Amino acid sequence: MDKQAQLDKVKAMILEGNVCPDLAAQATNLVMGDGNVNADIVFIGEAPGKNEDEQGLPFVGAAGKFLNEMLAAAGMDRSDVYITNIVKYRPPNNRDPLPEEKKAFWPFLLKQLQIIEPKVVITLGRHSMEYFLPGLYISQIHGQAKRIQFGDHKLVVVPLYHPAAALYNGSLRQTLIDDFLSVPEIIKKLETASE
Ligand code: URA
């Protein structure tokens, strides 16, 4: 079965399993992800917002525009990477996802990663970071590549600030841009190390 068909099965499992029924009842769309299913890099945000819920695609609002700009500045395009969220329905009024909502969606995020098999996971904001790098603080480790064992799979995680948090905060914005621009170098080093 090809990767897209496998990912479609994960979507069907969420729908059939009635995951987070309260969120589902208020959402227009289940937002699974977007981009290249063969990508080496997967970006993981927090949860869909209003635009994402309406369009059924992650990062298509203001934060998404900023993400696209940073991708372009780093020499990448959305079609080179895969983008998803830890929570796949919009929380009402864009509130923070609850711990139980993140926990409910985590196994499905793992399945997505097992299918895509990226070399690098880039977490956007603390909600997805805390699942890959528990107990660490984003203010202390943003932009640093961390190797983790992920089931049978080895993975590099790069925690970045969330584009929505950085959008209107001058110093955070520059920090995020600087971290983002270092991503190609991190990947190059990984490739050299594995040769
Ligand atoms: N913020 C997120 O974390 N994810 C989206 O898809 C959009 C905004």
Side-chain angles (χ1 to χ4, degrees):
M1 206 192 311
D2 72 18
K3 288 190 177 190
Q4 188 55 58
Q6 292 181 58
L7 290 168
D8 290 346
K9 270 186 101 173
V10 177
K11 179 173 186 174
M13 284 164 78
I14 293 174
L15 292 170
E16 283 157 20
N18 203 17
V19 176
C20 292
D22 294 348
L23 289 186
Q26 299 190 51
T28 310
N29 276 299
L30 173 62
V31 182
M32 289 301 292
D34 182 35
N36 185 340
V37 298
N38 295 303
D40 284 341
I41 309 178
V42 171
F43 285 85
I44 306 176
E46 179 181 320
K50 187 170 185 290
N51 293 292
E52 289 76 20
D53 179 48
E54 283 168 5
Q55 295 183 42
L57 291 169
F59 283 98
V60 288
K65 190 166 168 278
F66 184 30
L67 180 61
N68 291 348
E69 286 165 12
M70 289 186 289
L71 280 169
M76 293 182 272
D77 185 82
R78 277 178 84 114
S79 60
D80 298 324
V81 300
Y82 192 83
I83 303 175
T84 186
N85 287 301
I86 181 158
V87 168
K88 290 169 170 47
Y89 287 120
R90 180 191 182 201
N93 303 315
N94 297 346
R95 66 154 166 75
D96 278 357
L98 301 174
E100 57 267 31
E101 292 164 351
K102 290 182 270 186
K103 196 169 164 205
F105 276 108
W106 172 243
F108 299 101
L109 177 60
L110 289 188
K111 284 187 201 301
Q112 287 179 298
L113 294 177
Q114 278 156 2
I115 295 165
I116 298 171
E117 296 186 298
K119 292 188 182 132
V120 180
V121 159
I122 299 186
T123 56
L124 299 170
R126 66 186 168 83
H127 291 284
S128 55
M129 185 197 89
E130 70 189 11
Y131 267 84
F132 292 91
L133 304 169
L136 299 182
Y137 293 97
I138 193 159
S139 56
Q140 291 170 0
I141 58 157
H142 64 87
Q144 296 174 19
K146 304 275 178 199
R147 286 181 192 278
I148 62 165
Q149 184 78 30
F150 183 71
D152 297 340
H153 209 74
K154 281 195 174 59
L155 203 59
V156 170
V157 179
V158 184
L160 298 186
Y161 281 112
H162 195 289
L167 200 51
Y168 304 112
N169 174 329
S171 68
L172 212 58
R173 184 184 167 97
Q174 195 53 51
T175 302
L176 176 56
I177 293 171
D178 292 345
D179 285 349
F180 217 101
L181 293 178
S182 72
V183 167
E185 191 58 32
I186 290 172
I187 291 172
K188 215 159 110 195
K189 276 196 192 136
L190 285 175
E191 280 166 358
T192 322
S194 64
E195 272 166 11

